[in-house]
Amino acid sequence: MSVQDEFSFINSITPKKYKQPHLVAGIGDDAALYSGNHNVEEIVCIDTMIEEVHFNRQTMRPFHIGYKALASNISDIAAMGGVPNFYLVSIAIPKHWSDSELLEIYNGMEALADRYQMDLIGGDTVSSKHSLVITVTVIGRVHKGKHLLRKNAKADDIVFVTGSLGDSAAGLELLLKNGVDFNFSKDEQALITRHQLPEPKVEIGEILAKYPRVALNDVSDGIASELNEVASASDVTIVIEAEKLPKSDPITSFSEDKQLHWMLNGGEDYELVGTVSKENWLKIKKECEQKNYSITKIGYVIEGPAQVLIKQGDHMKLLQKQGFNHFK
Ligand code: ADP
Ligand code: MG
């Protein structure tokens, strides 16, 4: 690797100061230590990003790579109703990455970690022949018994999603076409930012965790996939209405076909999608409105086989995990 030596690299990314009071020992020993707590459940998740598979230099700057690798994990914590506390980073580095680019990857993670008072508490540094591989582990917490599972959906619930859908996929198309250095319009830049610097919805997850029996998933693969997972885990039929899917203004400059395809299958929006009882939906909607968090009702749950149906005008069709092509 181009890093002079592993030890000075680790030194350069070791935090000067830690923020989480329950951390006992961070980077510098054989493993990190933090103290447990009887009132919480610990949440842990991991995600890997590989150069040329999940990103390339055409679409992401080093800062974005670090930011997004951490964001996708934080989003998983949010989807459990929890808050993130710690992260660990394993990085496999090929020769063509410079020291300053690697530090930028860590700066990207730090920018997001600061927002949630998260500490970097460990990792691993190795060399790689061709592609940069970055694996991030996040540890978080949720109040005991308040975690949100995919299996919680029941008939008569409503289906909701936060924010807007499809923007990340639209941003990716612009980046693949023009490259990261292109002079994008303001609208285009908004879509690109959603691809490069997605915002996990931790605060909304915390609101949802206050209510009983919310089923929740984060939108990493697209709602077609996420809702099929909820339907399977809960053994219910989920119905969504195409006209109700929330979209941003900038995405409307693309064809209707592309918009719908991206909203259903685009993924990487890192919004939250789930179900809740009608009664609690009204309370959640009100609380989110007061705090200016966007959340939209997009459908409902009925008894039936584990599947997702999409209503478009008078037509009702099966929405499969992939293969949205049937629809075009
Ligand atoms: P060991 O040989 O005991 O695994 P290492 O030299 O791999 O020790 O790591 C030393 C310390 O630096 C450990 O606390 C480890 O968690 C941390 N560390 C190593 N690589 C990274 C990295 N890429 N990012 C964050 N922390 C790291
Ligand atoms: Mg090691």
Side-chain angles (χ1 to χ4, degrees):
M1 70 186 111
S2 66
V3 210
Q4 297 304 320
D5 77 287
E6 189 187 319
F7 301 102
S8 62
F9 173 70
I10 296 170
N11 260 336
S12 69
I13 53 103
T14 299
K16 310 255 168 322
K17 203 172 154 272
Y18 293 104
K19 292 160 260 177
Q20 289 289 333
H22 62 297
L23 183 69
V24 178
I27 291 177
D29 217 302
D30 296 310
L33 287 168
Y34 62 91
S35 30
N37 178 334
H38 285 302
N39 304 316
V40 298
E41 290 157 352
E42 302 283 345
I43 314 171
V44 59
C45 58
I46 184 165
D47 252 319
T48 296
M49 280 174 45
I50 302 181
E51 187 179 4
E52 303 302 335
V53 176
H54 298 91
F55 63 87
N56 60 44
R57 285 170 182 266
Q58 175 83 347
T59 61
M60 303 268 279
R61 294 186 204 284
F63 185 95
H64 304 136
I65 295 163
Y67 179 105
K68 195 163 173 178
L70 186 59
S72 68
N73 277 291
I74 295 176
S75 181
D76 281 324
I77 301 277
M80 300 303 286
V83 294
N85 301 142
F86 302 118
Y87 63 113
L88 298 96
V89 180
S90 170
I91 188 160
I93 309 166
K95 282 201 175 63
H96 60 274
W97 285 77
S98 70
D99 273 22
S100 61
E101 287 174 320
L102 295 171
L103 290 183
E104 269 304 290
I105 292 179
Y106 274 79
N107 285 339
M109 290 190 275
E110 210 180 315
L112 190 55
D114 270 352
R115 216 185 291 169
Y116 298 107
Q117 302 290 314
M118 293 172 72
D119 290 319
L120 173 64
I121 60 167
D124 202 17
T125 310
V126 295
S127 63
S128 161
K129 274 246 156 65
H130 303 294
S131 302
L132 184 114
V133 180
I134 179 165
T135 303
V136 179
T137 299
V138 168
I139 296 167
R141 288 176 159 183
V142 61
H143 291 296
K144 197 164 211 152
K146 296 291 182 188
H147 57 258
L148 304 176
L149 302 179
R150 293 172 184 175
K151 66 173 188 195
N152 286 350
K154 285 212 168 94
D156 262 355
D157 282 356
I158 71 98
V159 182
F160 64 82
V161 69
T162 64
S164 60
L165 295 170
D167 293 340
S168 175
L172 176 61
E173 176 163 295
L174 292 169
L175 283 163
L176 287 173
K177 206 154 120 198
N178 304 296
V180 71
D181 295 321
F182 188 75
N183 196 3
F184 291 104
S185 72
K186 207 172 152 225
D187 271 7
E188 288 170 334
Q189 189 56 52
L191 298 171
I192 284 160
T193 300
R194 288 218 56 196
H195 180 76
Q196 295 171 329
L197 302 169
E199 296 210 5
K201 297 299 183 298
V202 176
E203 296 81 3
I204 305 183
E206 280 186 271
I207 292 176
L208 296 170
K210 293 193 296 186
Y211 294 88
R213 212 180 48 73
V214 172
L216 200 62
N217 213 344
D218 71 317
V219 184
S220 48
D221 298 327
I223 60 164
S225 177
E226 318 304 349
L227 286 175
N228 267 290
E229 286 170 357
V230 173
S232 295
S234 304
D235 200 23
V236 293
T237 294
I238 288 176
V239 183
I240 60 167
E241 299 172 67
E243 286 80 10
K244 293 198 174 156
L245 299 177
K247 58 175 122 170
S248 68
D249 286 337
I251 205 179
T252 57
S253 64
F254 292 89
S255 74
E256 293 275 343
D257 271 3
K258 273 190 175 171
Q259 288 178 43
L260 188 58
H261 176 66
W262 286 335
M263 285 194 287
L264 295 172
N265 301 291
E268 294 197 335
D269 286 315
Y270 298 111
E271 296 294 346
L272 296 174
V273 65
T275 68
V276 63
S277 71
K278 279 185 183 135
E279 182 199 348
N280 287 327
W281 163 245
L282 295 176
K283 295 181 194 160
I284 288 168
K285 192 168 161 248
K286 199 165 160 197
E287 192 169 342
C288 285
E289 270 166 10
Q290 279 164 357
K291 296 193 167 133
N292 252 322
Y293 298 146
S294 156
I295 191 163
T296 310
K297 178 183 163 183
I298 60 169
Y300 49 88
V301 181
I302 55 176
E303 267 174 50
Q307 63 182 8
V308 180
L309 302 174
I310 181 162
K311 228 169 113 183
Q312 207 177 358
D314 295 333
H315 298 281
M316 184 93 99
K317 287 182 183 173
L318 191 63
L319 183 62
Q320 274 159 334
K321 262 194 164 180
Q322 261 107 34
F324 178 67
N325 289 351
H326 307 286
F327 224 96
K328 281 190 177 171

